[in-house]
Amino acid sequence: MKIGVIGGGQLGRMLALAGTPLGMNFAFLDPAPDACAAALGEHLRADYSDPDHLRQLADEVDLVTFEFESVPAETVAFLSQFVPVYPSAESLRIARDRWFEKSLFKDLGIPTPAFANVLDQADLDHAVIEIGLPAVLKTRTLGYDGKGQKVLRKPEDVVGAFAELGSVPCLLEGFVPFSGEVSLVAVRGRDGETRFYPLVHNTHVNGILELSVASSDHPLQALAEDYVGRVLEQLNYVGVLAFEFFEVDGGLKANEIAPRVHNSGHWTIEGAECSQFENHLRAVAGLPLGSTAKVGESAMLNFIGSVPAVDKVVAVADCHLHHYGKAFKAGRKVGHATLRSKDRATLEARIKDVEALIKG
Amino acid sequence: MKIGVIGGGQLGRMLALAGTPLGMNFAFLDPAPDACAAALGEHLRADYSDPDHLRQLADEVDLVTFEFESVPAETVAFLSQFVPVYPSAESLRIARDRWFEKSLFKDLGIPTPAFANVLDQADLDHAVIEIGLPAVLKTRTLGYDGKGQKVLRKPEDVVGAFAELGSVPCLLEGFVPFSGEVSLVAVRGRDGETRFYPLVHNTHVNGILELSVASSDHPLQALAEDYVGRVLEQLNYVGVLAFEFFEVDGGLKANEIAPRVHNSGHWTIEGAECSQFENHLRAVAGLPLGSTAKVGESAMLNFIGSVPAVDKVVAVADCHLHHYGKAFKAGRKVGHATLRSKDRATLEARIKDVEALIKG
């Protein structure tokens, strides 16, 4: 089976590493000459809206999937004429737009921070009165790793904020006094079978994920599964979906979903029976899903900007390096380490070991 | 770091799957147009003794390693002029010739079946008198998966046997009434650090490995490590080496070594903290070695001739499919499954599940 992937970054790379042992081949559509997934499959180097290359991709592969959600809607629509596309165009349409996304959560009874659609500065001024400050103004689409966001703390911050974010459709979200950020990675097969990984506790720094720790018997696991299950069913979703929540007052408020394999699920490569990458491929290929059970106690640390010396990283006990083969650049995710330890105390010590390497 | 691999079959493929997350790139020299490792790296499609392509390989990579031991000695010598080659030419010279290999074992005090060098029919006749029947006549080089062997049971079998195996240098080995076949996979770094995986119990059918089961606290582990350690040190070996033994009367008799990653170590991908493939790459690259400790209870079943339906294989609990992407052909290793279970009883049940699929 040949899988077409829109995007050829590290998520595509890890999909190929998981799918090759299943007998799958890969083609990546990515305009970047140095797309790091290209080492593991065919590289169609073209723009995401180039009809000739999209047609070529559709002709070559058995199905198409994505490694990022901001694929143009027209791309998905075009491909869908010729080849199955998972997750569906509708799932992508919702997930890539914060307004559609939050509105879906609301419709499904999933608690969210207060939010309002902001199409101009007047909308923003009105929304601030309604929601109050502090609040966060976010572009509805194309935001990632904290980009496309502005925190509004004082009335002066509101002035001109809409223009500052590019005068594009935005969402204003009320500030949530959260005690933690957690994500649930789920997978749903073509037949509707659904499985959930354990809740992961995430630490972000400057909007970029730094550390994910997989939980054991998290008291909010069942509630999170309930919320995520509602979304999966409503979208008739196929593939892996990650759902980020704020922990607030012992409950959960929905932040956002990613309709793809997700950074907070990278620990599953070593830390779960079947990784998010293999389970995504199993789901889109119509294969039975794999076990989402944990193996040991796991955490993931991102390498941002650069990967510490490889000999130092692999010398850390319980440590598994994932180097993305990308050029180092400040703020760029260029690798990660998974730690899989026999108990929580050992895991905590190992996290400190890797953190020390990152700090240099 | 770019690694050159002589051979582009499934061992090369699994080396690349293990090395890519370490940030390594791969080039495979293999004359076969459909070399299955080619999906994961550059494919230099040329004969193993083609000097232009060997030179190109040497120029492109940081070091060269092998996925099979019958590489021509001249190839290794040629490459060694330009680029580090691990394991060394001397290790390959010994390991690929049964006479050199058995003589080394004898020199190091490692018990072996009775053996004699056979360079013509007269040698054979003489050796049969000395060793007795039954015995096995094996070509000194190029044998694998039971090929290049003839069992001699009766005096009539001896007549013309040397010519039957092609009138090439052979070894006669006394038949050993073994109770089991075990292998020890070991890894030795450039700095001499050595680690051993748990002993594996192997079941062969018609000379082809069918099932490997990793042991726990095997009573012969320490003895096997002693024997293998002697060979590693004597050869100043770098990389993974597999050592096959017969279990005889509660002790071990040396059968053969393979100077490479080995089929009986495939279970380590899921069943050990660091796989034989990653550890081989760490060793040849001069990186610290990874843990050889087990994760759960593991076994490996080869798929010979064909891979059962993928949906059926991945539906088996605890099962991890490794499809080599090779054309199906009788007697050919085209994939394997690793089972990693929480206890031995579960593992035994899962082995039966996969065996049922293989039998169709």
Side-chain angles (χ1 to χ4, degrees), chain A residues 50-278:
Chain A
D50 172 336
D52 291 341
H53 281 88
L54 287 174
R55 190 59 211 265
Q56 185 191 338
L57 183 72
D59 286 348
E60 278 186 17
V61 304
D62 297 293
L63 61 89
V64 169
T65 188
F66 304 89
E67 62 143 36
F68 66 107
E69 57 269 40
S70 34
V71 179
E74 306 71 39
T75 300
V76 184
F78 182 86
L79 284 168
S80 299
Q81 299 174 79
F82 309 109
V83 67
V85 176
Y86 301 108
S88 67
E90 174 63 5
S91 299
L92 285 177
R93 189 184 71 83
I94 302 288
R96 77 170 149 245
D97 185 307
R98 295 184 192 281
W99 168 245
F100 296 155
E101 184 182 57
K102 285 284 194 316
S103 302
L104 175 70
F105 301 158
K106 194 175 171 186
D107 291 347
L108 294 172
I110 302 169
T112 66
F115 66 94
N117 193 15
V118 172
L119 299 178
D120 54 29
Q121 183 68 36
D123 278 353
L124 177 58
D125 294 339
H126 181 75
V128 166
I129 291 165
E130 205 168 275
I131 291 172
L133 293 182
V136 194
L137 187 65
K138 302 176 174 180
T139 59
R140 277 175 47 178
T141 63
L142 296 172
Y144 72 99
D145 287 351
K147 292 175 175 54
Q149 301 199 5
K150 185 175 159 62
V151 179
L152 311 179
R153 298 185 184 278
K154 309 176 301 290
E156 306 90 275
D157 297 338
V158 180
V159 181
F162 183 75
E164 236 177 282
L165 285 187
S167 299
V168 293
C170 286
L171 196 81
L172 187 72
E173 279 183 27
F175 228 57
V176 175
F178 61 85
S179 57
E181 293 176 271
V182 293
S183 60
L184 191 75
V185 175
V187 58
R188 187 170 182 273
R190 285 201 213 164
D191 60 357
E193 188 192 1
T194 301
R195 298 197 183 187
F196 304 94
Y197 288 95
L199 268 170
V200 174
H201 184 269
N202 300 314
T203 307
H204 291 83
V205 176
N206 300 324
I208 303 182
L209 181 65
E210 212 175 65
L211 171 68
S212 291
V213 182
S215 62
S216 294
D217 304 320
H218 196 291
L220 295 171
Q221 180 78 26
L223 183 65
E225 291 187 9
D226 174 24
Y227 290 161
V228 178
R230 293 182 207 180
V231 169
L232 293 172
E233 192 157 338
Q234 177 65 27
L235 296 175
N236 192 22
Y237 193 86
V238 176
V240 160
L241 177 138
F243 202 132
E244 293 188 72
F245 295 97
F246 299 117
E247 277 189 273
V248 185
D249 296 333
L252 296 170
K253 283 191 192 284
N255 180 17
E256 62 181 14
I257 53 175
R260 53 170 169 79
V261 290
H262 190 256
N263 198 167
S264 70
H266 289 1
W267 65 275
T268 60
I269 295 176
E270 290 86 10
E273 289 292 348
C274 181
S275 76
Q276 66 165 348
F277 298 100
E278 179 171 340

Side-chain angles (χ1 to χ4, degrees), chain B residues 139-224:
Chain B
T139 59
R140 277 176 46 179
T141 63
L142 296 173
Y144 72 99
D145 286 353
K147 292 176 175 54
Q149 301 200 3
K150 183 174 158 65
V151 179
L152 311 178
R153 298 184 186 279
K154 309 177 300 288
E156 306 91 274
D157 296 340
V158 181
V159 180
F162 182 74
E164 236 177 281
L165 285 187
S167 299
V168 293
C170 285
L171 196 82
L172 188 72
E173 278 184 27
F175 228 57
V176 175
F178 61 84
S179 57
E181 293 175 272
V182 293
S183 58
L184 191 74
V185 175
V187 59
R188 187 170 181 273
R190 286 200 213 166
D191 60 357
E193 188 194 0
T194 301
R195 297 197 183 188
F196 304 94
Y197 288 95
L199 268 170
V200 174
H201 185 269
N202 299 314
T203 307
H204 292 83
V205 176
N206 300 324
I208 303 182
L209 182 65
E210 211 175 66
L211 171 68
S212 291
V213 182
S215 63
S216 293
D217 303 319
H218 195 292
L220 296 171
Q221 179 79 26
L223 183 65

Side-chain angles (χ1 to χ4, degrees), chain B residues 11-88:
Chain B
L11 301 183
R13 181 171 161 110
M14 288 185 275
L15 282 170
L17 287 170
T20 300
L22 299 178
M24 296 171 174
N25 294 305
F26 291 83
F28 302 96
L29 180 72
D30 194 317
D34 58 348
C36 71
L40 304 173
E42 185 186 351
H43 183 191
L44 298 180
R45 193 180 152 194
D47 194 79
Y48 296 121
S49 53
D50 172 336
D52 292 341
H53 280 89
L54 287 175
R55 189 62 209 264
Q56 185 189 337
L57 182 72
D59 286 348
E60 277 186 18
V61 303
D62 297 293
L63 62 90
V64 168
T65 190
F66 303 89
E67 62 142 38
F68 66 109
E69 57 269 40
S70 35
V71 179
E74 306 72 41
T75 300
V76 184
F78 182 86
L79 284 168
S80 299
Q81 300 174 77
F82 309 109
V83 68
V85 176
Y86 301 109
S88 68

